[in-house]
């Protein structure tokens, strides 16, 4: 083939609407990880030169012999802005705003352009020239690339997260091949890639040279359906180059294009049964991993193999805290394994096709995939969608190119069950054209696009961030809409915004999905925080790289932290979607076990019980549970409670389902579901009365406690110095408290601050010395407002323990719920000795963080930790770390018992310091451990993008009374 060099200074392709060109650019085809044809990875260190504009440097560098001596180096795959310690510019984070003037398809003159150069030899065993051809494959380059090999131009392309191949013809040499790639950060393609994420230019996925032997495999399409009525699978592989298809395990050996039907085990995300096969043409053998399954929308439900499924999904962006969107295989596998361990069964590849190897992992380990096209034009919303590329025919070829590249690349994955046209593009004819093109090529998968409220082009009704109430209306088919829409299944392609602390309300959504068959689940937004490692901040978010336009920490909204540690949100989600429901009646001594899988039976699970007395397991055993089919339940008898165990103690059964044997993603014993069945309730603390308060000079003593006689403030309990305690209603607002500006619901964080809840004043009204009590009366209220709380602290003692009853009566017209209601006290950090860990023990909910609407994963038990480990490291510091349903806690030399059970947080900084911090590195531990003992907490919700906390989780300013009993711990 003869290749033509383009004009030296010609950069017209950057702003052209064309998706790509050049004579060597090949049409898209199926992607496969391996075959017996030779291949050479060109990943590694590349020479690199950065220019400030697209045409700043000429293309002389592409010619063999060019001296790159003065150039830098970058890692490929990688993003240059994340390499070179800032010398190559920096990342930019915007949610939907284009970081350049909107004047499509023009882009700024300042267009960072990275020239990449790699010189390579062919390996010794590479087939000799004349034996076949070769193809150069780029799996992902952001946003526009122009490619030369040995001085000859191959072409150029856009479509950052899609594969592009070039025929390299006779250009290859045995030694000293010069591959030159010019990458422009901005191009016309950038208008189509306005996803909410960092803008990260570079060659960020693999570059591979593929030998294409004579008679090699070209494109092929594996059709592997499953008929649930007959139990038969039907296999047909259409191949551009004819050949044979072999599946040894099934005894299949057929010609391409022929179909065969025979009994098989179907593929599902829960039972990812793959059959190894081979596609053999005259010149190449390509391994196939075949999963038989049939996807259909029938009777208003999305079904696989005849059964409706429930997405317990997440939106997954590709992200790594140092490598950006350049993910290695191990990181991809880690994502899938983590998801499987937390019962996540589905991924929406928001908002672009992932690295294709990720889909191989989804096939292998079992995840339903909504594969989304690399398309978002959200920034046009700023101009009422004027000039939106998806509604402008001139852009349609680029849109079709993207749709086609996705479908052709990914069509052979059983895990891909839905195609998605893209995200947040408004509406337009271009989307309709994409839908038509996809349907023309693949009739076996339904189409998704959330921005199509009438479902003109789609097969699923999809919403993002719909409230529980709306989901319920949809479930009951009362939501209206077009006739077509009303007949379609419903999914939440995004819900439960996991930004910072939260999301709240997951279990409530799950109840709706379990109740209404039309509601087939959803995808939590999102899987991972996109926080970038940063030398000063630890982890950085928008604005930390000096961007002039940015959206702050809106980019940190994942169920796992950037280092892939599960956040409490993931633990809560795991509980909400666990595949076995365990209920029961401890009095009757029975447990009811329900299989909540859509396809799998319970054969792989073992069931255990433990009987706990005041949180301590005193006996354990196993429960025999049959291998229930999906949806089936059984009632099993619990053993007799261990003799003599009860007495006055609090007792409960904890029943667990665990993996009996290891699976590909989880070890034996991995907890798959659990429940606690209380037997006898919480013991009441004894009253702690009898001692007399005695005044001597400036002090009052009462049992072990010393108070300031003038202010009534507690000074110490035994030898433990105490600051406070005082009524506290403030918490450092969470991202969900702060809410999103576009949300119609009240945004409590700003309202709380406006009201002054962060600067309450405490007026002393009386210090009353009674016969058996010290009563301190106060009014707690913010400056400039009439609202407040009449607050009385009533102290009593039995001589060794000190009991406090707090009575709170709201005054004035409280119009907003409160952040929290409880007391705050300071304990000396000296209790921690040398500044080392401050141990904490408690009996109550744990081991992790919980708030009223994030508490289903909180298990009652005896827990221990230390103050620092109680903190949840949300990237932007905010309220965190509460433990729920606490009966007693021991920290800083004190034991606190509560009635009723309480919430506690303990930290080595104040709430005010937490509130003021922008990054975790702003938080410096002080000498005091600040302990909040809360009677109630406000729920969390997910208002940073979705609805706020449900009414039942709101903390209204009502009259309240609660009690704590303090005692010094033995030293
Ligand atoms: C959605 C959008 C996502 C993300 C999310 C907020 O509207 O589709 O990409 O921006 O909001 O985090």
């Amino acid at each position: 083939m003869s290749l033509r060099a383009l004009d030296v200074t010609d950069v017209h392709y950057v702003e052209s609407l064309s998706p790509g060109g050049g004579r060597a650019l090949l049409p898209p085809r199926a992607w496969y990880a391996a075959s017996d044809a030779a291949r050479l990875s060109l990943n590694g260190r590349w020479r690199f030169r950065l220019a400030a504009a697209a045409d700043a440097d000429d293309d002389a560098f592409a010619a063999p012999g060019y001296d790159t001596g003065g150039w830098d180096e970058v890692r490929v795959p990688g993003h240059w802005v994340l390499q070179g310690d800032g010398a190559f510019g920096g990342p930019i984070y915007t949610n939907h705003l284009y970081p350049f003037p909107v004047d499509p398809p023009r882009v700024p003159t300042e267009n960072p352009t990275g020239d990449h150069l790699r010189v390579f030899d062919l390996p010794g065993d590479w087939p000799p020239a004349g034996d076949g051809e070769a193809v150069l494959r780029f799996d992902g380059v952001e946003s526009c690339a122009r490619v030369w090999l040995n001085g000859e131009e191959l072409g150029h392309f856009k479509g950052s997260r899609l594969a592009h191949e070039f025929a390299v013809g006779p250009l290859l040499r045995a030694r000293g091949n010069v591959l030159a790639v010019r990458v422009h950060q901005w191009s016309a393609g950038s208008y189509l890639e306005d996803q909410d994420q960092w803008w990260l230019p570079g060659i960020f996925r693999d570059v591979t040279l593929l030998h294409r032997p004579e008679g090699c495999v070209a494109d092929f399409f594996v059709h592997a359906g499953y008929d649930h009525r007959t139990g038969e699978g039907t296999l047909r592989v259409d191949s551009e180059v004819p050949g044979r298809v072999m599946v040894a395990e099934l005894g299949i050996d057929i010609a391409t294009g022929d179909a065969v039907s025979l009994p098989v085990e179907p593929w599902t995300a829960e039972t990812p049964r793959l059959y190894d096969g081979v596609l053999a043409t005259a010149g190449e053998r390509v391994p196939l991993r075949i999963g038989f399954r049939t996807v259909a929308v029938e009777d208003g439900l999305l079904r696989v193999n005849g059964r409706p499924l429930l997405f317990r999904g997440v939106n997954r962006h590709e992200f790594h805290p140092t490598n950006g969107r350049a993910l290695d295989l191990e990181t991809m596998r880690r994502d899938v394994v983590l998801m499987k361990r937390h019962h996540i069964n589905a991924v929406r590849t928001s908002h672009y096709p992932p690295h294709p190897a990720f889909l191989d992992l989804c096939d292998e380990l079992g995840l339903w995939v909504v594969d989304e096209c690399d398309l978002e034009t959200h920034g046009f919303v700023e101009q009422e969608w004027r000039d939106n590329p998806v509604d402008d025919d001139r852009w349609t070829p680029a849109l079709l190119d993207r749709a086609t590249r996705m479908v052709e690349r990914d069509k052979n994955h059983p895990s891909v069950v839905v195609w998605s046209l893209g995200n947040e593009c408004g509406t337009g004819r271009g989307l309709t054209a994409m839908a038509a093109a996809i349907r023309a090529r693949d009739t076996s998968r339904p189409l998704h696009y959330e921005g199509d409220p009438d479902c003109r082009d789609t097969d699923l009704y999809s919403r993002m961030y719909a409230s529980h109430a709306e989901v319920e209306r949809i479930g009951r088919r009362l939501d209206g809409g077009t006739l077509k829409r009303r007949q379609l299944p419903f999914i939440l392609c995004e819900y439960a915004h996991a930004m910072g602390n939260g999301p709240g309300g997951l279990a409530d959504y799950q109840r709706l999905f379990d109740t209404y068959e039309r509601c087939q689940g959803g995808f939590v937004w999102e899987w991972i925080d996109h926080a970038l490692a940063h030398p000063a901040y630890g982890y950085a978010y928008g604005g930390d790289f000096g961007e002039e336009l940015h959206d702050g920490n809106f980019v940190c909204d994942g169920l796992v932290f950037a280092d892939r540690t599960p956040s409490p949100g993931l633990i809560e989600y795991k509980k909400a979607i666990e595949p076995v429901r365990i209920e029961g009646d401890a009095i009757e001594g029975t447990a009811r076990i329900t299989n909540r899988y859509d396809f799998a039976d319970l054969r792989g699970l073992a069931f255990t019980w433990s009987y706990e007395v005041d949180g301590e397991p005193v006996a354990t055993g196993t429960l025999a549970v049959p291998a229930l089919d999906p949806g089936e339940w059984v009632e099993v008898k619990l053993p007799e409670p261990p003799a003599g165990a009860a007495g006055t103690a609090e007792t409960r059964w904890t029943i667990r389902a665990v993996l009996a044997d290891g699976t590909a993603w989880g070890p034996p014993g991995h907890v798959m579901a659990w429940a606690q069945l209380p037997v006898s309730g919480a013991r009441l603390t004894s009253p702690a009365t009898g001692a007399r308060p005695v005044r001597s000079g400036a002090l009052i003593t009462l049992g072990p406690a010393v108070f300031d006689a003038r202010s009534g403030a507690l000074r110490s309990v035994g030898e433990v110095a105490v600051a406070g305690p005082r009524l506290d209603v403030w918490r450092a607002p969470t991202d969900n408290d702060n809410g999103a500006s576009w949300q119609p619901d009240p945004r409590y964080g700003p309202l709380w601050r406006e009201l002054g809840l962060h600067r309450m004043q405490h007026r002393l009204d009386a210090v009353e010395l009674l016969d058996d009590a010290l009563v301190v009366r106060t009014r707690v209220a913010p400056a400039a407002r009439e609202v407040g709380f009449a607050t009385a602290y009533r102290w009593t003692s039995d001589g060794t323990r000190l009991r406090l009853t707090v009575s709170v009566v709201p005054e004035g017209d409280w119009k907003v719920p409160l952040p929290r209601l409880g007391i705050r006290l300071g304990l000396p950090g000296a209790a921690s000795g040398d500044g080392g860990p401050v141990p904490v023990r408690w009996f109550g909910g744990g081991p992790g963080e919980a708030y009223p609407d994030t508490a289903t994963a909180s298990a009652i038990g005896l827990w221990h930790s230390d103050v620092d480990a109680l903190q949840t490291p949300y990237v932007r510091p905010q309220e965190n770390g509460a433990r729920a349903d606490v009966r007693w806690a021991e920290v800083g030399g004190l034991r606190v018992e509560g009635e009723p059970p309480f919430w506690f947080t303990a930290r080595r900084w104040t709430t005010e310091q937490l509130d003021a911090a922008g990054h975790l590195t702003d938080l410096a531990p002080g000498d005091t451990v600040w302990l909040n003992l809360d009677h109630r907490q406000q729920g969390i919700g997910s208002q940073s993008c979705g609805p706020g906390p449900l009414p039942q989780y709101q903390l209204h300013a009502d009259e309240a009374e609660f009690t704590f009993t303090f005692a010094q711990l033995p030293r």
Side-chain angles (χ1 to χ4, degrees):
M1 143 182 2
S2 92
L3 300 164
R4 176 176 52 105
L6 291 184
D7 184 2
V8 182
T9 54
D10 180 5
V11 290
H12 78 278
Y13 61 93
V14 174
E15 294 181 329
S16 119
L17 298 182
S18 148
R23 288 189 36 199
L25 184 62
L26 294 167
R29 64 180 180 122
W31 191 98
Y32 46 91
S35 84
D36 64 347
R39 60 175 61 203
L40 175 65
S41 167
L42 297 173
N43 295 347
R45 308 291 304 174
W46 288 48
R47 306 295 281 168
F48 178 74
R49 164 180 77 177
L50 184 64
D55 61 355
D57 288 312
D58 65 29
D59 63 4
F61 80 104
Y66 183 88
D67 179 11
T68 57
W71 287 30
D72 291 301
E73 275 192 359
V74 289
R75 204 177 47 248
V76 170
H79 306 277
W80 71 72
V81 291
L82 299 184
Q83 303 181 52
D85 293 328
F88 307 145
I92 301 171
Y93 167 57
T94 58
N95 166 10
H96 76 282
L97 297 176
Y98 289 103
F100 47 78
V102 180
D103 182 21
R106 303 297 310 277
V107 295
T109 305
E110 293 77 29
N111 186 356
T113 292
D115 286 335
H116 295 68
L117 195 126
R118 165 90 199 237
V119 179
F120 64 92
D121 299 336
L122 293 178
D125 55 357
W126 193 267
D131 175 357
E133 293 253 348
V135 158
L136 197 55
R137 184 170 78 194
F138 293 88
D139 285 320
V141 182
E142 179 168 330
S143 83
C144 172
R146 183 179 179 187
V147 185
W148 297 261
L149 182 65
N150 294 330
E152 294 279 350
E153 168 137 6
L154 300 179
H156 54 89
F157 64 88
K158 306 184 187 89
S160 299
R161 298 107 201 173
L162 294 160
H164 293 85
E165 287 183 329
F166 294 101
V168 301
L171 294 174
L172 272 187
R173 308 166 178 170
R175 304 189 64 76
N177 292 287
V178 178
L179 175 57
V181 186
R182 172 163 284 175
V183 181
H184 307 282
Q185 170 152 23
W186 309 122
S187 70
S190 305
Y191 283 97
L192 306 180
E193 297 175 4
D194 191 26
Q195 293 94 343
D196 174 5
Q197 59 180 345
W198 296 96
W199 298 89
L200 295 174
I203 305 175
F204 71 97
R205 287 186 190 156
D206 308 280
V207 183
T208 316
L209 182 72
L210 303 164
H211 181 242
R212 307 310 301 131
E214 209 53 58
C216 65
V217 169
D219 187 36
F220 61 97
F221 198 160
V222 177
H223 303 276
Y226 179 76
D227 185 334
H228 64 279
R229 286 162 299 242
T230 62
E232 287 198 341
T234 299
L235 177 68
R236 190 187 83 232
V237 178
D238 294 334
S239 175
E240 222 172 283
V241 174
R244 294 203 70 77
V245 177
M246 280 92 71
V247 185
E249 191 184 347
L250 294 173
I252 293 176
D253 182 349
I254 53 173
T256 54
D258 286 355
V260 59
S261 297
L262 72 181
V264 296
E265 292 172 45
W267 187 96
T268 73
E270 292 167 5
T271 55
R273 177 66 159 101
L274 291 174
Y275 290 91
D276 284 319
V278 180
L279 166 62
T281 60
E284 189 179 16
R285 291 170 68 85
V286 176
L288 305 176
R289 305 210 76 190
I290 300 162
F292 292 89
R293 94 258 170 301
T294 291
V295 189
V297 174
E298 266 169 21
D299 309 325
L301 295 178
L302 175 63
R303 295 171 188 270
V304 173
N305 304 336
R307 285 197 211 190
L309 46 90
L310 191 58
F311 287 129
R312 299 139 172 116
V314 289
N315 281 277
R316 175 181 178 272
H317 267 289
E318 294 184 310
F319 188 76
H320 185 279
T322 52
N323 302 334
R325 285 188 282 281
L327 261 56
D328 54 31
L329 257 179
E330 193 196 323
T331 304
M332 295 182 224
R333 180 173 282 272
R334 199 156 156 218
D335 274 349
V336 179
V337 165
L338 263 177
M339 288 177 192
K340 294 291 291 185
R341 288 187 181 178
H342 292 86
H343 316 318
I344 288 164
N345 72 356
V347 165
R348 172 177 177 233
T349 69
S350 55
H351 302 298
Y352 40 81
H355 189 293
F358 177 76
L359 299 177
D360 286 340
L361 291 166
C362 295
D363 295 342
E364 176 195 324
L365 298 172
L367 286 173
W368 307 115
V369 175
V370 174
D371 195 358
E372 188 150 276
C373 197
D374 190 2
L375 180 61
E376 173 158 343
T377 63
H378 199 175
F380 285 87
V381 73
E382 294 292 314
Q383 52 199 56
E384 286 85 42
W385 296 104
R386 237 182 345 274
D387 298 332
N388 184 3
V390 307
D391 202 22
D392 177 340
D393 294 339
R394 292 172 305 160
W395 288 86
T396 303
L399 305 184
L400 291 176
D401 182 71
R402 284 169 190 252
T404 308
R405 283 187 185 278
M406 169 179 74
V407 171
E408 298 303 352
R409 195 195 75 167
D410 296 343
K411 59 186 179 289
N412 294 328
H413 291 282
S415 56
V416 174
V417 289
V418 175
W419 298 119
S420 175
L421 301 180
N423 186 56
E424 296 187 317
C425 296
T427 53
R429 298 189 298 280
L431 293 165
T432 304
M434 288 170 80
I438 295 174
R439 289 187 204 285
R441 179 66 171 136
D442 181 17
T443 50
S444 74
R445 293 172 173 101
L447 289 195
H448 168 268
Y449 173 60
E450 182 270 346
D452 180 7
D454 295 338
C455 302
R456 281 190 328 180
D457 298 324
T458 59
D459 304 304
L460 303 170
Y461 177 39
S462 172
R463 291 270 294 115
M464 49 171 77
Y465 307 106
S467 65
H468 297 81
E470 182 182 343
V471 172
E472 173 136 37
R473 275 198 306 280
I474 294 171
R476 300 175 66 199
R477 301 179 190 279
L478 298 174
D479 59 310
T482 57
L483 177 63
K484 177 178 177 201
R485 184 177 106 184
R486 276 183 280 136
Q487 292 168 343
L488 293 183
F490 173 71
I491 64 164
L492 278 164
C493 70
E494 292 178 30
Y495 78 113
H497 200 245
M499 184 178 182
N501 187 335
L506 281 170
D508 308 85
Y509 277 111
Q510 209 58 40
R511 269 191 288 279
L512 295 170
F513 303 154
D514 286 341
T515 307
Y516 299 104
E517 63 166 13
R518 185 187 183 196
C519 299
Q520 295 197 263
F523 299 80
V524 166
W525 187 267
E526 64 176 305
W527 173 241
I528 186 167
D529 280 351
H530 310 210
L532 286 168
H534 189 281
Y537 299 132
Y539 283 106
Y541 48 79
D544 290 342
F545 297 94
E547 303 106 291
E548 64 177 19
L549 206 62
H550 67 82
D551 287 292
N553 68 318
F554 200 62
V555 78
C556 298
D557 49 7
L559 290 177
V560 297
F561 294 110
D563 65 1
R564 292 185 156 70
T565 321
S567 92
L570 182 60
I571 308 304
E572 178 72 2
Y573 196 33
K574 178 186 184 202
K575 180 72 182 127
I577 59 179
E578 60 189 12
V580 179
R581 183 180 294 125
I582 304 171
E583 299 148 307
D585 185 333
I587 308 304
E588 292 289 315
T590 54
R592 181 181 162 128
I593 314 283
T594 309
N595 178 356
R596 293 171 84 197
Y597 280 118
D598 297 323
F599 299 90
D601 62 30
L602 297 189
R603 215 170 299 272
L605 304 187
F607 288 77
T608 66
W609 58 264
S610 100
Y611 189 80
E612 287 139 31
V613 177
D614 285 339
E616 294 273 18
V618 296
T620 58
T622 57
L623 271 186
V625 175
L628 303 174
D629 279 334
E632 278 186 354
W633 59 270
V634 69
E635 206 160 77
V636 294
K637 194 88 192 116
L638 294 171
E640 282 302 310
T648 60
E650 182 176 337
T651 53
R652 60 176 40 74
W653 298 96
T654 298
I655 297 166
R656 294 187 180 84
V658 301
L659 287 182
D661 306 307
T663 65
W665 45 264
H670 177 74
V671 176
M672 297 295 288
W674 59 272
Q676 295 189 306
L677 309 178
V679 182
S680 62
R683 175 171 37 174
L684 296 183
T685 51
S686 54
T689 51
R692 266 182 96 87
V694 180
R695 174 162 187 168
S696 76
L699 300 176
I700 296 170
T701 52
L702 173 62
V706 177
F707 296 83
D708 180 289
R710 191 194 52 78
S711 65
L714 177 66
R715 289 279 181 75
S716 57
V717 177
E719 287 147 53
V720 180
V722 180
R726 304 206 297 188
L727 188 79
D728 193 10
V729 296
W730 178 240
R731 74 182 184 195
T734 65
D735 294 315
N736 283 315
D737 289 338
N738 285 334
S741 54
W742 56 87
Q743 270 296 326
D745 295 347
R747 300 166 59 199
Y748 294 127
L751 288 174
W752 291 336
R753 213 180 285 276
E754 195 187 320
L755 195 58
L757 299 188
H758 58 308
R759 46 172 173 76
M760 299 290 268
Q761 298 183 11
H762 299 251
R763 185 187 72 208
L764 181 64
D765 289 338
V767 177
E768 298 166 0
L769 233 65
L770 309 181
D771 274 358
D772 61 345
L774 168 70
V775 177
V776 179
R777 299 190 188 281
T778 65
R779 186 170 191 277
V780 183
R785 310 285 171 200
E786 64 160 6
V787 292
F789 298 102
T791 306
Y793 306 87
R794 182 188 172 86
W795 298 95
T796 61
S797 173
D798 60 4
T800 47
R801 295 179 311 138
L802 177 70
R803 183 175 167 103
L804 165 65
T805 298
V806 184
S807 314
V808 184
V809 179
E811 294 176 345
D813 189 7
W814 280 96
K815 293 200 168 79
V816 291
L818 303 172
R820 62 164 14 112
L821 182 70
I823 56 170
R824 186 201 315 193
L825 58 151
L827 300 172
S832 66
D834 49 5
V838 183
V840 184
R841 263 174 29 103
W842 74 98
F843 176 36
E849 171 183 298
Y851 288 83
D853 53 351
T854 64
T856 56
S858 175
I860 303 299
L862 206 51
W863 305 105
H864 57 88
S865 181
D866 66 71
V867 168
D868 291 341
L870 292 179
Q871 316 306 310
T872 307
Y874 296 116
V875 180
R876 186 191 71 81
Q878 54 195 275
E879 167 66 28
N880 74 83
R883 299 312 194 262
D885 296 317
V886 177
R887 280 73 167 151
W888 58 257
E890 294 174 352
V891 56
L894 275 192
R895 177 181 169 99
V896 189
E897 296 172 7
E899 245 178 67
F902 58 102
W903 308 81
F904 88 91
T905 59
R907 14 182 111 97
R908 302 213 274 180
W909 36 78
T910 62
T911 300
E912 291 69 27
Q913 288 164 331
L914 182 65
D915 187 23
H919 295 87
L920 288 167
T921 45
D922 294 336
L923 291 169
D927 289 338
T928 304
V929 170
W930 292 101
L931 189 62
N932 272 93
L933 307 173
D934 291 314
H935 176 54
R936 294 190 59 197
Q937 275 271 1
Q938 163 81 351
I940 297 292
S942 92
Q943 210 186 343
S944 52
C945 195
L950 287 166
Q952 62 269 35
Y953 304 120
Q954 308 242 1
L955 166 45
H956 293 291
D958 294 327
E959 270 192 51
E961 192 169 281
F962 44 95
T963 294
F964 299 106
T965 305
F966 301 92
Q968 185 187 349
L969 284 173
R971 296 212 158 199

